[in-house]
Amino acid sequence: MTVSKTRAQLVDVARRLFAKMGVENTTMNDIAVASQRGRRTLYTYFKSKEDIYLAVVESELDILTDTMKRVTEKDIRADEKLMEMIYTHLDTVKEVVYRNGTLRADFFRDTWRVETVRKRFDANQVLLFKEVLREGMQAGFFRIDDVDMTAELLYYCIKGIEAPYIRGHVGSDLDDGTLDVYVRRLVLRALGMDL
């Protein structure tokens, strides 16, 4: 098995154990046994449980990055692409949380550790939003004074509603169509688009 496949297998096994037992209750030995690898192999790839935990978080963020890139590559209008990016981001984060246990699980309780890994991811996401905002400006859909600042504000607003969205607190009393109308109006009008 190649180095990258072995490492990926170890990360996947650790992810499942962390989701099932919690990060604090999972030992490096648990990961080695569940992956059918020796502790020496595990320590070849990861110095500590913290290292493998961060690798797990990073692997989940890589999935989200790939998903978001596919949306930006679609051949659709910039306003539609932007709305799809917002929903894709929120839905994919929600899927990651459910796949890795509930929000109450240790895996997501320790947000400072997740945020450490997320810095690079956040910067990449802001770049994707900039790209789509520029595309919308060139097509005459958006009227934006500062694309860089707008992309950052938009992204961090979306990031800020992740937890309420996952918990079902965003628009829970509205049907999907009505919620979509509200979100479109808020976002697209803020970008100077006539609806």
Side-chain angles (χ1 to χ4, degrees):
M1 189 176 277
T2 66
V3 170
S4 61
K5 284 185 180 180
T6 301
R7 185 180 190 283
Q9 180 199 22
L10 293 169
V11 168
D12 187 55
V13 168
R15 180 190 58 76
R16 285 186 270 129
L17 289 174
F18 292 159
K20 181 179 177 184
M21 299 169 32
V23 176
E24 298 307 319
N25 296 326
T26 303
T27 66
M28 291 292 274
N29 193 55
D30 293 333
I31 297 167
V33 169
S35 65
Q36 298 177 342
R37 302 275 178 205
R39 286 172 49 94
R40 183 180 300 173
T41 300
L42 183 59
Y43 280 102
T44 298
Y45 293 97
F46 304 100
K47 289 183 272 185
S48 65
K49 184 168 64 171
E50 176 76 9
D51 282 353
I52 199 164
Y53 173 81
L54 294 176
V56 168
V57 173
E58 193 170 298
S59 74
E60 294 291 352
L61 292 173
D62 287 344
I63 292 168
L64 179 54
T65 297
D66 292 343
T67 303
M68 294 296 286
K69 282 181 183 174
R70 283 193 299 275
V71 173
T72 63
E73 294 167 354
K74 286 187 172 186
D75 187 21
I76 56 177
R77 287 175 29 156
D79 57 322
E80 294 300 319
K81 192 179 294 188
L82 185 62
M83 296 309 301
E84 189 169 335
M85 287 175 72
I86 292 168
Y87 287 118
T88 298
H89 176 93
L90 292 171
D91 289 338
T92 305
V93 169
K94 185 176 186 175
E95 179 184 312
V96 166
V97 169
Y98 283 118
R99 184 172 59 242
N100 290 295
T102 67
L103 280 173
R104 293 178 300 279
D106 292 340
F107 192 86
F108 286 92
R109 186 176 298 147
D110 206 352
T111 57
W112 71 267
R113 282 198 274 183
V114 173
E115 287 303 312
T116 300
V117 177
R118 230 182 134 154
K119 287 179 184 177
R120 179 182 55 84
F121 167 78
D122 289 342
N124 289 334
Q125 294 303 296
V126 169
L127 290 175
L128 293 176
F129 277 94
K130 283 181 192 178
E131 181 182 317
V132 173
L133 292 176
R134 284 191 183 102
E135 190 180 308
M137 286 180 62
Q138 289 170 352
F141 295 129
F142 306 147
R143 291 185 300 278
I144 304 168
D145 294 327
D146 186 333
V147 173
D148 293 343
M149 179 55 72
T150 303
E152 285 187 34
L153 286 171
L154 180 59
Y155 173 72
Y156 286 108
C157 284
I158 295 162
K159 182 179 174 181
I161 64 167
E162 287 173 356
Y165 182 83
I166 290 165
R167 291 183 176 123
H169 297 296
V170 177
S172 61
D173 57 338
L174 302 172
D175 62 81
D176 288 346
T178 304
L179 178 62
D180 187 54
V181 168
Y182 289 161
V183 174
R184 283 179 179 280
R185 283 182 188 158
L186 178 71
V187 172
L188 298 178
R189 284 184 181 165
L191 297 174
M193 187 170 178
D194 296 324
L195 297 179

